[in-house]
């Protein structure tokens, strides 16, 4: 490898999401060799994935090719590969193609995937939203649903194609539901001759008692009002007990109900990456790795777990120990914290005891509901509505990677805002021959 | 249907490529009902499809949602559906879902697909480039090939992943080969640590004696020189006799040769849409429908075939009868010619005999080779090199649909030209679990 002596320590980072990327960049000048492994070739700006799923942005606007981003970092090699196993005793990992890579330090940042609470058969009927493949699948289904309704002569046969159900009222579910309602009522207006797209029903189902469970109750209430203003039907205390190709079965207040819908979106459960199980240490109920305060695993000071895969805790501003949420800023901060420790150790130093535990700085949470509505919880400051939406807009553009991406996204949104249009309305013909009838 | 009396004649247009779209638009004010059917939801600007396949443009830049484009045309209904059969005696078509639609006029404009000259087993190893699905497949394969090479420790195992073969030196093949060479030599420079992407070999194989067979020989020679200047190895008089997952077998000058390559692009043969066979009239060897001079089929003045599906002839400027080429301007002109006849008949008129035969106006042909090179054949005027490339650039942007598309494409290209970068470098994780090893 160019420019690196074989005697340098070798760090392997698995996963190039927010955590892995931040760790890699923070070590740009460190005296070690880094191998960054991801099974896709791009870093994904996940907060905007729902925009690709709803045809508002094209995929390249929110995804940056990893090796292009990091091409100037000479101590870093990027590999697009899948990691099949980790052997912490031997200090090596194994790739899907059988290659073994030894390491001196390991950061596992492979994130989370969907959890269907044990009902993996639901996955085929209710795709989630974690990857670009997910976003394309959802986009194809939602656009095709309106198309299918338009071809049907029978009105009764049409309505299930115009019913959309989103399961889970966290930020992703809220954003999807709000955007679906906008698409039906505004974007597609005038474009159909047989159906009225505004007749589409968008249901948002939530098992707990309020939407945006992680936000303050006043903001949950605001968000629900804004959703309803957009035409979304919000049902809280509503538990999903079955999903098939034609709809969803729910239980609410002791009664069971059938909700016919041809398009169902899963935004309800998250499960940690299977790589967590490879580490041989205790996991929490969601499969996340229970890490020590410094983010390493028990018994191995050289193995760290960060991001959505980690079950980490931090003291909040009141000094209380709270779980670190699975959000992008937390992943980035964890990446930096691990990098700091590694840099110290390379110099033969250990962080002072007071600085060793990870401290999460909570800058607040944002969720957008529609083209003019959002909620923002910045700790002592909360606001909603149009100002929150503007704030949300600028934060997201700022954190996008690359000038061009920011410019194109800004352009897309400015135009879309003005004209209600969405510019990525592509349905790719089914390659495998599967069609939904 | 809004605003249309049931007594108006019904026109069905199958296919929303250049021909079908032009026919539909030309009939915007005609007193009839139009149903425009396409199995995808978008109109594709095919000349730029190779840009999506080589990660230079995102899909929405070259694809426009049909019903959005035509939303103001009140006499038109758009259906996203697949046509399974056509019954010309009964004057009705059947959709894949079993619905039957009667018509008074029918325009079949369903275009062409790939032909593997009877060897359909080659399709899995050498994708073509006709649809967005094709472009995504090719893009994923070519980006993944460099990624795979980077993960391989063994140098001998790497080279086939760095060998790219393009089969067929028409405009599509020439554009793909030139762009692949640019990607290897410029775009990906500095991004890899183990491989040198400039070590990639790009082979362009052509069965006939020159590239761009449809152009004048001087331009073919120019194009070949430009390709070679980019690093493409051009092999003419080279016939493909076998394709598998690991390479291509060819016969040249009586000798058989094995060319190892993990990425093969098919740009060699085109076959007409299977719907042509539904019409019960003679077809040519490529499956195209042999149409009468007015573009209708024999025995049915109300059924027209246009675009790549039609085997049409026209008198050239010398008065000689020549086949109409399968190019976008020809399809558009055919669409307009059919529309003109239908408009006349709705008024109870028939076109004068001299105007009935379709006359193709050949404005010339363009092919681009790389970022600064192209060939243009405008009849009496031919030119090549940088001026041809500028001309090609402006023609393509002009014919794109929609201001936003034009602006974004111009921006992408301006930036890419200056920086050699390509902005749509996405590999979507394999959804079906297939991986190439």
């Amino acid at each position: 490898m160019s420019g690196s002596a074989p005697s340098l320590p070798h760090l392997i980072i698995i996963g190039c999401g927010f955590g892995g990327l931040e760790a890699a960049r923070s070590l740009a000048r460190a005296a070690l060799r880094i191998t960054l492994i991801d099974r896709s070739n791009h870093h994904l700006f996940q907060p905007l994935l729902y925009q690709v799923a709803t045809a508002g942005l094209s995929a390249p606007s929110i995804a940056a090719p990893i090796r292009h981003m990091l091409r100037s970092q000479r101590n870093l090699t990027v590999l697009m590969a899948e990691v099949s196993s980790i052997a912490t005793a031997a200090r090596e990992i194994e790739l899907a193609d059988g290659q073994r890579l030894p390491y001196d330090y390991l950061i596992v940042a492979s994130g989370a995937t969907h959890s269907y609470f044990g009902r993996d058969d639901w996955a085929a009927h209710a795709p989630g939203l974690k990857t670009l493949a997910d976003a394309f699948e959802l986009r194809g289904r939602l656009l095709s649903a309106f198309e299918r309704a338009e071809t049907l002569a029978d009105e009764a046969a049409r309505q299930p194609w115009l019913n959309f159900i989103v399961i889970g009222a966290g930020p992703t579910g809220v954003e999807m539901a709000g955007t679906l309602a906008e698409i039906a009522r505004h974007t597609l207006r005038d474009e159909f001759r047989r159906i009225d797209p505004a007749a589409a029903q968008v249901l948002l189902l939530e098992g707990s008692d309020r939407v945006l469970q992680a936000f303050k109750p006043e903001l949950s209430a605001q968000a629900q009002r804004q959703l309803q203003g957009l035409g979304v039907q919000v049902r809280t205390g509503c538990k999903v007990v079955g999903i098939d190709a034609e709809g969803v079965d729910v239980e609410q207040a002791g009664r069971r109900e059938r909700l016919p819908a041809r398009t169902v979106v899963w935004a309800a459960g998250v499960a940690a990456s299977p790589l967590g199980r490879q580490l041989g240490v205790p996991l929490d109920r969601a499969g996340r790795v229970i890490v020590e305060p410094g983010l390493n695993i028990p018994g191995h000071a050289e193995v760290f777990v960060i991001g959505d895969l980690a079950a980490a805790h931090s003291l909040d501003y009141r000094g209380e120990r709270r779980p670190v949420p699975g959000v992008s800023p937390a992943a980035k901060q964890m990446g930096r914290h691990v990098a700091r420790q590694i840099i110290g150790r390379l110099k033969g130093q250990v962080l002072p005891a007071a600085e060793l535990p990870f401290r999460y700085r909570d800058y607040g949470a944002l969720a957008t509901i529609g083209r003019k509505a959002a909620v923002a919880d910045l700790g002592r400051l909360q606001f909603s509505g149009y100002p929150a939406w503007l704030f949300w807009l600028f934060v997201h553009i700022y954190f996008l990677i690359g000038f061009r991406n920011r410019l194109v996204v800004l352009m897309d949104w400015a135009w879309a805002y003005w004209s209600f249009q969405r510019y990525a309305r592509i349905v790719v013909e089914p390659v495998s021959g599967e069609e939904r009838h």
Side-chain angles (χ1 to χ4, degrees), chain A residues 386-400:
Chain A
Y386 190 53
W389 182 80
L390 278 179
F391 182 71
W392 174 92
L393 186 81
F394 286 110
V395 163
H396 280 77
I397 293 183
Y398 178 77
F399 281 106
L400 272 176

Side-chain angles (χ1 to χ4, degrees), chain A residues 63-115:
Chain A
I66 299 167
R67 62 174 65 260
H68 178 67
M69 269 200 295
L70 298 171
R71 68 195 180 284
S72 312
Q73 192 166 330
R74 306 309 301 180
N75 67 354
L76 179 80
T77 298
V78 176
L79 292 185
M80 176 175 155
E82 180 120 19
V83 174
S84 55
S85 66
I86 302 172
T88 51
R91 294 195 185 186
E92 65 181 23
I93 67 168
E94 187 171 329
L95 302 181
D97 68 1
Q99 285 187 74
R100 292 205 175 138
L101 305 180
Y103 63 81
D104 298 294
Y105 297 95
L106 176 68
I107 301 176
V108 190
S110 46
T113 177
H114 309 296
S115 164

Side-chain angles (χ1 to χ4, degrees), chain A residues 16-19 21-22 25 38 40-46 62-66 69 132 399 401:
Chain A
C16 189
F18 288 104
L21 180 62
E22 195 70 21
R25 284 172 147 171
D38 195 296
S40 84
N41 76 326
H42 53 273
H43 166 76
L44 190 64
F45 191 75
Q46 274 201 29
I62 67 161
I66 299 167
M69 269 200 295
L132 274 181
F399 281 106
I401 287 166

